[in-house]
Amino acid sequence: MKWFGYTGASSVVASGLVACLLCSTVTADSTASKTAGTSAGNAVLQKYGTKENVKKNLAVPMTSGGTQLQTIDSTKSFSVGFGTPSSNSFLQLLIQPTGTGDLGMVTVAQDLDSDGAFDNTFNLGVPVSGVCANGFVSCNPGTWNACQPYKWISDNQGKLSIEPVAVTRLGGCYCINSSCGSSLVWSNSALILKDLGGGAVGAIHAQDATVMITNVASDPVSITYYGNLLKKATTANSAVPANQGAASVQQQQAYFGNWSQLSNDAAGLSLTQSSNGESMYSKVKNSVATQNGVSTKTCQIKRTGVLTTVPLASFTSTGSSSLCTDHLIYMMVKKVDETKFELKLLDTSPGGAAHHNCNDNPGGDGWHLQHTINLPVIETGTYQAKLTKALYSITNIQGAGCNSGGSASMDAAISGFNVGIAATAPCPAKGAQTPSFDWSYLFEFEADSYQEGVTNGCAAFEADANCTPREEVVDGVTTMINGNPTGLNPLPTQKTYIGAVAPMEISRDWWEKKRTYSCIDQNMYDLSAAGKRFDPLVTSVDDTVNAINYSDLRKDSNGAWIASTGSIALPGRDLPADCEQACQVRKNKQDTQIGANGVMSEARETSSSHDDVFRICVDNGTTCPVEAGETIVANCKCTDQFSSAATVMQSLRMAGNDNICASGTPVQP
């Protein structure tokens, strides 16, 4: 027993030593991990913690070949840019609205070789009264009269210009001048600039798809595009495994001249991706943007037309007749006008001249009228027709002095009207002969018929009282944003359909509407139980550093509410500091403000002006991040600026009082 008792005691002591060692190890590792994490986090914040640093240390190196990317500790540098020339301003459009609502001047500036300087600058030279997806319309200012459409074009160097075109070559057009509304330009300048710039960029891409737009910036009167020239890239797609399946620049360029192939490729890709539930296409397509019981639904209303060629009418007849001829028989279909045709026969002498021995048409040209065909008037509109067959035949020519079984046949719609052809049975006997024959004719018309239908994919949302339209784009024109009409409306657009008769142009006020609805799902959430639990749960939370203790209400299996308590263990952590360490930094600025007496800086004893900025300290709150040209006013500390803030607020309040007593009654400040 003593042996076993001794052994048991030794085991207890040994276990205690191991536990102590493990405790020390865990504590040491935890402290080291926290220190390493804090240090790494501070280093990242110092490198990328501000908007300026993200641009300087990340965005610029990745889009410009002149700046290298650095590691977090700045010990190593390397080039990761696209390897392509980049431009500060690839394309810029500046607009100048006039009192008539037209754009009196539109200035275009381009940097064609990405050297940072504009080398193609021009004015459109005409007022802009309407904007289109690929051009614009210029009219008499303030009216929609004497309008001339223009289209954006570019040469193989990407140099932009404009050319006058028919309105059918433009799309997504809408009016912006005062003939269509007031202040349309100022109310929708962002949309107008986007559409003008988009049309210009589209014209450039039609000639050169290697220009990649990397950023777009705009203000109320200008829009600027930034880009890279991919055709001068130095890094091949195949060198990056993730890019090996990407379309090449040449393939993208080919789509501009073969848009139907783009549709086919898109349809094929979507079919392939939709069969893969893990693909990004499937995840996005099957997702529903939902927030607070409101889901976003998108739909389309499309107007579709089709042109089909169908038989319209046919006219036919047969019979027998005879003709006096000297030698030969000719036949012809004479076209008098669009609805009247004459079937004629000619009897000739051996030399081909009109007859001499038949006296039934003395002094005439030898042609005998066999039949007259009067056709009905062909209506126009949504169908158009043409004569596709004008067949005239004579067969079984028989008679004394004539060869038997002769015939002649012609389709004047093919061989031509007012043209004669000879039958195959001459009558060589001397003098006049009178052969008999059978005759027939067949006239047929074909018509291109246009049918149209509207597919309303938004019908369910239109009928749902819980759905509200938020956005609408009609034929590329934004007519609604955030539930508010923009005042912009598309102009009627023509589509050309090719049929058997002739091209048919159909004009409609709209062809496609794309909408976004916000729909409230009445059954999406039932938060009544969560509301009952919220108050006792939130008010009872107790953070003891090592754990969070709380009280809760929950339902049992019978649906009855019962009270419970719980605890969530937390890893050891330092208590938060009383406040975050911050510093005050001063940076000079050029003051250009204007007062009643002129420039404000001239009224001061010194012309210098500055801003004071508070920044969060880095390196565990010990270092104040200072940029070039800045000075530290107050170094890192737990600062309290309440008194300064209160003074400023009181000054603003006092400035709003009626200091001159305009009412005649003294006012207490």
Side-chain angles (χ1 to χ4, degrees):
M1 293 296 295
K2 290 181 179 179
W3 174 258
F4 285 105
Y6 176 76
T7 303
S10 300
S11 299
V12 170
V13 173
S15 299
L17 290 172
V18 170
C20 184
L21 289 173
L22 287 174
C23 179
S24 300
T25 302
V26 170
T27 302
D29 289 345
S30 175
T31 302
S33 298
K34 182 180 72 175
T35 301
T38 301
S39 177
N42 288 333
V44 171
L45 286 175
Q46 189 170 3
K47 194 77 172 179
Y48 307 115
T50 64
K51 179 179 69 175
E52 293 79 7
N53 283 347
V54 169
K55 180 179 180 181
K56 172 185 174 182
N57 298 321
L58 193 60
V60 172
M62 293 188 69
T63 58
S64 174
T67 306
Q68 290 190 321
L69 188 68
Q70 295 180 339
T71 56
I72 299 297
D73 60 3
S74 301
T75 59
K76 294 182 179 180
S77 310
F78 48 94
S79 176
V80 295
F82 294 115
T84 62
S86 60
S87 173
N88 291 330
S89 298
F90 155 67
L91 171 67
Q92 187 176 76
L93 273 72
L94 176 67
I95 63 174
Q96 181 178 327
T98 65
T100 61
D102 305 85
L103 302 182
M105 183 177 69
V106 177
T107 302
V108 181
Q110 288 181 267
D111 180 5
L112 297 175
D113 52 8
S114 294
D115 63 353
F118 290 131
D119 39 34
N120 180 38
T121 303
F122 67 97
N123 294 323
L124 297 186
V126 293
V128 175
S129 309
V131 178
C132 306
N134 57 342
F136 61 91
V137 179
S138 179
C139 308
N140 290 340
T143 72
W144 203 251
N145 300 324
C147 297
Q148 172 60 59
Y150 289 89
K151 182 181 179 181
W152 292 107
I153 59 173
S154 70
D155 59 18
N156 55 10
Q157 300 298 318
K159 188 175 182 180
L160 282 169
S161 58
I162 58 175
E163 67 172 359
V165 295
V167 70
T168 54
R169 294 186 60 190
L170 300 180
C173 298
Y174 55 90
C175 172
I176 63 172
N177 68 14
S178 55
S179 68
C180 302
S182 60
S183 301
L184 291 178
V185 173
W186 291 116
S187 302
N188 303 280
S189 64
L191 287 174
I192 291 170
L193 283 165
K194 176 180 69 68
D195 292 338
L196 278 174
V201 171
I204 295 172
H205 278 167
Q207 294 292 334
D208 186 1
T210 64
V211 178
M212 181 182 69
I213 307 301
T214 58
N215 191 25
V216 181
S218 65
D219 55 46
V221 295
S222 69
I223 188 168
T224 304
Y225 293 82
Y226 304 86
N228 288 81
L229 299 179
L230 295 182
K231 64 184 176 184
K232 297 185 178 180
T234 57
T235 303
N237 250 5
S238 58
V240 183
N243 290 343
Q244 290 178 2
S248 66
V249 170
Q250 290 77 12
Q251 181 179 348
Q252 295 173 28
Q253 182 70 56
Y255 286 140
F256 279 91
N258 187 9
W259 58 267
S260 59
Q261 185 61 41
L262 177 60
S263 300
N264 294 336
D265 289 353
L269 184 61
S270 63
L271 183 64
T272 302
Q273 293 290 306
S274 61
S275 61
N276 180 9
E278 296 300 317
S279 68
M280 183 60 67
Y281 174 87
S282 297
K283 291 179 179 179
V284 173
K285 185 175 184 296
N286 297 324
S287 66
V288 178
T290 305
Q291 183 177 7
N292 299 328
V294 179
S295 59
T296 300
K297 310 289 186 180
T298 59
C299 59
Q300 291 183 343
I301 304 175
K302 286 187 175 182
R303 188 193 304 273
T304 55
V306 61
L307 200 63
T308 55
T309 302
V310 295
L312 179 63
S314 63
F315 305 89
T316 183
S317 185
T318 60
S320 299
S321 185
S322 62
L323 177 70
C324 175
T325 181
D326 186 281
H327 194 80
L328 299 175
I329 300 177
Y330 281 79
M331 65 186 307
M332 176 180 69
V333 179
K334 181 179 180 180
K335 182 177 180 180
V336 180
D337 55 38
E338 294 297 329
T339 60
K340 184 177 180 179
F341 299 86
E342 294 179 346
L343 309 184
K344 288 191 170 185
L345 295 174
L346 172 67
D347 58 293
T348 71
S349 64
H355 65 84
H356 297 287
N357 297 317
C358 294
N359 297 316
D360 53 341
N361 188 18
D365 60 1
W367 287 101
H368 299 264
L369 179 62
Q370 181 74 24
H371 300 284
T372 299
I373 302 174
N374 292 297
L375 303 177
V377 176
I378 303 301
E379 299 292 338
T380 60
T382 57
Y383 76 93
Q384 52 192 11
K386 73 173 181 179
L387 185 65
T388 56
K389 181 175 290 187
L391 183 62
Y392 178 29
S393 300
I394 56 174
T395 59
N396 195 26
I397 300 175
Q398 304 285 344
C402 299
N403 297 331
S404 300
S407 65
S409 180
M410 67 181 300
D411 187 346
I414 299 175
S415 60
F417 296 98
N418 308 326
V419 176
I421 64 171
T424 59
C427 298
K430 183 177 180 180
Q433 296 88 36
T434 308
S436 62
F437 53 87
D438 298 325
W439 58 265
S440 65
Y441 67 83
L442 173 61
F443 279 48
E444 287 186 349
F445 281 83
E446 281 187 344
D448 289 334
S449 178
Y450 175 78
Q451 292 85 33
E452 185 176 273
V454 175
T455 302
N456 189 353
C458 302
F461 306 133
E462 292 174 342
D464 191 342
N466 295 314
C467 293
T468 303
R470 302 295 299 169
E471 317 283 344
E472 183 182 63
V473 178
V474 181
D475 291 346
V477 178
T478 302
T479 59
M480 178 182 291
I481 295 179
N482 295 327
N484 298 312
T486 62
L488 305 177
N489 292 294
L491 299 174
T493 304
Q494 288 183 331
K495 284 191 175 182
T496 302
Y497 293 86
I498 305 299
V501 178
M504 184 183 298
E505 290 188 345
I506 304 296
S507 178
R508 292 292 182 265
D509 291 338
W510 63 270
W511 291 94
E512 181 181 64
K513 299 180 180 180
K514 296 180 180 179
R515 290 180 182 168
T516 299
Y517 284 83
S518 294
C519 298
I520 301 174
D521 192 338
Q522 300 292 338
N523 301 315
M524 184 170 294
Y525 299 116
D526 180 7
L527 301 179
S528 58
K532 189 174 182 66
R533 296 180 62 190
F534 181 81
D535 186 64
L537 183 63
V538 172
T539 58
S540 65
V541 171
D542 179 26
D543 185 354
T544 64
V545 179
N546 294 318
I548 292 180
N549 303 318
Y550 61 91
S551 299
D552 193 8
L553 285 177
R554 60 183 180 83
K555 286 184 177 181
D556 61 13
S557 58
N558 297 319
W561 288 97
I562 59 174
S564 64
T565 59
S567 180
I568 301 174
L570 299 174
R573 68 189 194 278
D574 295 336
L575 290 173
D578 292 336
C579 71
E580 193 165 29
Q581 299 294 303
C583 59
Q584 182 178 354
V585 175
R586 176 167 297 171
K587 55 182 179 181
N588 293 327
K589 71 173 184 179
Q590 184 176 1
D591 193 350
T592 59
Q593 298 183 58
I594 302 298
N597 297 322
V599 181
M600 298 291 289
S601 59
E602 296 179 355
R604 300 191 182 100
E605 293 183 359
T606 174
S607 60
S608 63
S609 181
H610 62 266
D611 287 331
D612 282 354
V613 181
F614 291 90
R615 293 206 178 103
I616 298 174
C617 293
V618 297
D619 297 337
N620 294 323
T622 62
T623 303
C624 180
V626 182
E627 297 180 0
E630 298 177 343
T631 58
I632 298 177
V633 177
N635 215 333
C636 297
K637 64 178 181 178
C638 182
T639 184
D640 181 1
Q641 296 294 325
F642 177 78
S643 59
S644 298
T647 301
V648 171
M649 296 303 294
Q650 177 68 356
S651 299
L652 293 174
R653 188 187 73 82
M654 294 290 291
N657 283 314
D658 192 349
N659 292 327
I660 64 172
C661 306
S663 64
T665 303
V667 178
Q668 293 295 328

